[in-house]
Amino acid sequence: MPIAGSLGKRLASMGIALSVSLSFISPLMAQERESIFDEGKKGLVGSHFTWGGELGTSIDVSGYDMSTFNIDALFGYKNSYFRIVGLGAGIHRALGTGDNFIPVYAVMRTSFSHSPKLFFMSLKTGYSFNTIHNSSTFGDVNAALGAGINLAISKRFKSHIILAYEFRHFNKKHREKYSLEVENISLATLSFGVNF
């Protein structure tokens, strides 16, 4: 009996020590788990971080054979008002000539409402690194303004289609080098995208 009593006291004291240790360790473990993905709210579902991708095509309505097939990636901030405010980059390859355009841009998309809407506005503006006719790469301003339509909205992802007017600017030096008669090439862009 004395052995059993001594063993019981030791186990009780170990249990108290263990519970006290856990009470100090638990908050530290919770702090270590914090991240921009807000894991306590099921990853990206409850986070203000968003990322996504788009596939599309830009049709050159200026007649300079610069229509492209487009692949873009985007990431940034989201909330109930903004679908995304962030950055994007893409690879846009000309369908006829094989010329390459690599835009890097800021992007903002919003429906101007805190509640879900069918339509939203899309604005992109940035700089495009262009390689035309196997020449050296140069760059100029690139921008697009368009309207998006929400296709599917869930807690984990959103899909959409965007129809936009886009232009590529070419300065005087580049126009002379490549025999372009206009400063801006106008394009009609259609894109399908998904955001998480």
Side-chain angles (χ1 to χ4, degrees):
M1 292 295 293
I3 295 174
S6 175
L7 183 60
K9 289 180 181 179
R10 287 181 183 177
L11 289 174
S13 63
M14 288 174 62
I16 292 171
L18 182 60
S19 64
V20 170
S21 298
L22 289 175
S23 68
F24 285 107
I25 293 172
S26 295
L28 294 175
M29 292 174 65
Q31 289 177 2
E32 289 176 0
R33 287 198 308 267
E34 290 180 0
S35 72
I36 60 171
F37 299 109
D38 200 355
E39 294 171 6
K41 296 182 180 179
K42 298 182 181 179
L44 288 175
V45 175
S47 171
H48 287 297
F49 175 79
T50 184
W51 67 277
E54 292 182 346
L55 292 176
T57 185
S58 296
I59 304 302
D60 180 3
V61 295
S62 300
Y64 286 90
D65 198 21
M66 290 190 181
S67 299
T68 58
F69 173 75
N70 310 331
I71 300 175
D72 289 82
L74 308 94
F75 68 94
Y77 172 85
K78 69 176 180 180
N79 62 18
S80 60
Y81 193 81
F82 291 105
R83 186 185 186 96
I84 183 173
V85 176
L87 299 173
I91 299 174
H92 298 185
R93 185 168 177 83
L95 300 174
T97 61
D99 298 336
N100 291 306
F101 305 88
I102 301 177
V104 178
Y105 51 85
V107 59
M108 182 191 74
R109 291 175 180 163
T110 179
S111 61
F112 302 101
S113 173
H114 290 284
S115 59
K117 300 292 182 182
L118 178 61
F119 298 99
F120 62 90
M121 183 199 76
S122 175
L123 174 65
K124 299 193 300 185
T125 182
Y127 197 78
S128 179
F129 299 91
N130 310 322
T131 304
I132 298 176
H133 306 317
N134 297 316
S135 67
S136 58
T137 299
F138 62 88
D140 263 312
V141 176
N142 181 237
L145 176 65
I149 302 174
N150 288 306
L151 297 179
I153 299 177
S154 75
K155 290 183 177 180
R156 298 198 175 276
F157 76 94
K158 295 179 181 179
S159 61
H160 59 264
I161 289 178
I162 295 175
L163 178 62
Y165 165 76
E166 181 178 357
F167 76 89
R168 298 189 189 110
H169 178 75
F170 298 91
N171 64 35
K172 184 177 179 180
K173 173 185 173 182
H174 301 144
R175 292 199 308 274
E176 290 175 351
K177 189 172 183 179
Y178 302 109
S179 302
L180 294 173
E181 299 175 0
V182 294
E183 293 185 358
N184 300 316
I185 301 297
S186 296
L187 306 110
T189 300
L190 181 66
S191 304
F192 169 77
V194 178
N195 279 86
F196 301 93

